[in-house]
Amino acid sequence: SMEETIRKGSEVEVSSTEEGFADAWFRGILQENPTKSGRKKLRVRYLTLLNDDALSPLIENIEPRFIRPVPPENEYNGIVLEEGTVVDADHKDGWWTGVIIKKLENGKFWVYYDSPPDIIEFERNQLRPHLRWSGWKWLRPDIQELDKSMFSSGTMAEVSTIVDKAEVAWFPAMIIKEIEVDGEKKFIVKDCNKHLSFSGDEARTNSTIDSSRVRPTPPPFPVEKYELMDRVEVFRGSVWRQGLVRGVLDHNCYMVCLVVTAAAPVVKHSDLRPCKVWEDGQTPVIETPSN
């Protein structure tokens, strides 16, 4: 029972019922002993949350059902962090519960949150396996079954945008979630140019867009050398724009005429790719447009 596991002076974790904080746990010190009935609110002094004056620690009276002991280290033994593992991430002064959707080769992890929908990148040392406190023992949640469809959470895609008032260009984005608004399929996406680091105010960089503006990232089409008059897409101003090869230069560079503006910048081979069109249908076909 609560009285046996924590007492006055114990370090505890407190969950919140506030909108947007439902899956977060905050550390605190219990300032009084729990009662036998468990009815009375308990005073907790937070370790990371401050009062409005931003100087003194926040102290609140909390219902006992929102208070739990701190999970002991030995409870994590044998839990492997893999895709589908429910984890808590050390973020914004608390531990926030989400699901690992991708383990990156550099040892970092992408963690998906459902409310508000977001994907945030964390280092291994910012994560711990999520455990639930039953009131007398710790329980592990099951591994989540992840959706692996073409536009599932965490998939890289491209989103159309209009540049120079006329041209449809494409920018790299990450799919956060597919949603339905008034019967229409839409996607919440994160623009990957502006916020590759996923730090700072993540929420502001997410936008909801029509499904017609989303396409998969084209697979790599290796081209050793582009020829004069090849139709290409050129990565400029953080979007892929349509162009025409007008000059083959030294050092793996080309002069590319932008189709809409007629500007002719010199670009590196690595900033070019063949021009392909996404035909949206049951079977994805990527076709080269006819000249």
Side-chain angles (χ1 to χ4, degrees):
S1 73
M2 181 82 120
E3 309 80 87
E4 288 155 19
T5 46
I6 55 175
R7 55 194 56 212
K8 183 176 177 179
S10 296
E11 196 170 322
V12 292
E13 293 188 343
V14 177
S15 68
S16 172
T17 50
E18 255 184 82
E19 180 92 13
F21 291 89
D23 289 328
W25 290 91
F26 297 95
R27 286 279 169 101
I29 301 289
L30 200 58
Q31 304 270 273
E32 56 189 312
N33 280 316
T35 59
K36 284 274 185 276
S37 70
R39 289 229 176 97
K40 180 170 147 305
K41 286 188 175 180
L42 298 171
R43 199 164 61 250
V44 173
R45 183 184 85 241
Y46 289 101
L47 293 177
T48 53
L49 303 181
L50 298 174
N51 274 318
D52 294 340
D53 63 13
L55 297 172
S56 52
L58 179 63
I59 294 177
E60 278 188 331
N61 294 313
I62 310 283
E63 285 182 51
R65 63 195 174 106
F66 296 122
I67 301 175
R68 71 179 199 178
V70 172
E73 287 295 320
N74 63 359
E75 288 292 341
Y76 299 131
N77 291 347
I79 303 182
V80 179
L81 293 194
E82 56 189 318
E83 294 176 8
T85 306
V86 183
V87 289
D88 300 330
D90 188 357
H91 183 57
K92 291 185 181 168
D93 301 324
W95 288 96
W96 297 76
T97 306
V99 178
I100 293 175
I101 56 163
K102 196 170 175 66
K103 187 174 180 174
L104 304 178
E105 286 172 2
N106 61 7
K108 297 183 181 182
F109 296 84
W110 284 353
V111 177
Y112 171 80
Y113 290 92
D114 202 46
S115 100
D118 208 354
I119 292 170
I120 304 177
E121 183 176 285
F122 291 106
E123 306 266 357
R124 172 65 185 88
N125 63 6
Q126 293 173 287
L127 299 178
R128 68 180 190 190
H130 178 68
L131 297 170
R132 212 158 49 74
W133 176 243
S134 72
W136 58 282
K137 70 173 191 169
W138 293 99
L139 305 171
R140 295 181 189 182
D142 293 335
I143 297 283
Q144 305 273 309
E145 198 56 51
L146 297 181
D147 173 26
K148 288 294 184 191
S149 62
M150 185 186 297
F151 293 122
S152 57
S153 297
T155 311
M156 297 308 293
E158 291 184 351
V159 175
S160 66
T161 182
I162 303 294
V163 290
D164 291 326
K165 298 192 176 66
E167 181 190 350
V168 176
W170 297 86
F171 65 85
M174 180 192 287
I175 304 287
I176 292 188
K177 189 181 189 183
E178 182 183 314
I179 57 172
E180 207 166 282
V181 182
D182 304 328
E184 300 263 313
K185 185 162 91 164
K186 292 185 185 282
F187 289 104
I188 300 172
V189 302
K190 188 187 287 280
D191 180 340
C192 285
N193 288 311
K194 301 191 177 76
H195 299 275
L196 271 176
S197 66
F198 296 101
S199 58
D201 283 336
E202 298 92 2
R204 284 196 199 148
T205 69
N206 298 345
S207 45
T208 302
I209 53 164
D210 293 343
S211 60
S212 59
R213 289 181 52 202
V214 181
R215 70 180 188 186
T217 302
F221 295 97
V223 174
E224 281 194 23
K225 196 172 168 77
Y226 294 96
E227 307 292 341
L228 281 177
M229 303 309 286
D230 275 355
R231 291 191 59 167
V232 291
E233 287 189 326
V234 53
F235 198 62
R236 264 187 91 65
S238 68
V239 294
W240 287 99
R241 303 188 60 165
Q242 303 219 353
L244 215 51
V245 175
R246 300 308 296 263
V248 179
L249 312 172
D250 291 346
H251 307 300
N252 241 353
C253 288
Y254 300 86
M255 191 169 89
V256 178
C257 180
L258 296 182
V259 170
V260 172
T261 61
V266 171
V267 294
K268 299 198 297 285
H269 188 282
S270 56
D271 285 335
L272 293 178
R273 68 184 186 191
C275 191
K276 304 282 179 183
V277 176
W278 169 245
E279 294 289 344
D280 201 359
Q282 292 311 304
T283 52
V285 182
I286 294 197
E287 290 183 0
T288 308
S290 51
N291 287 335

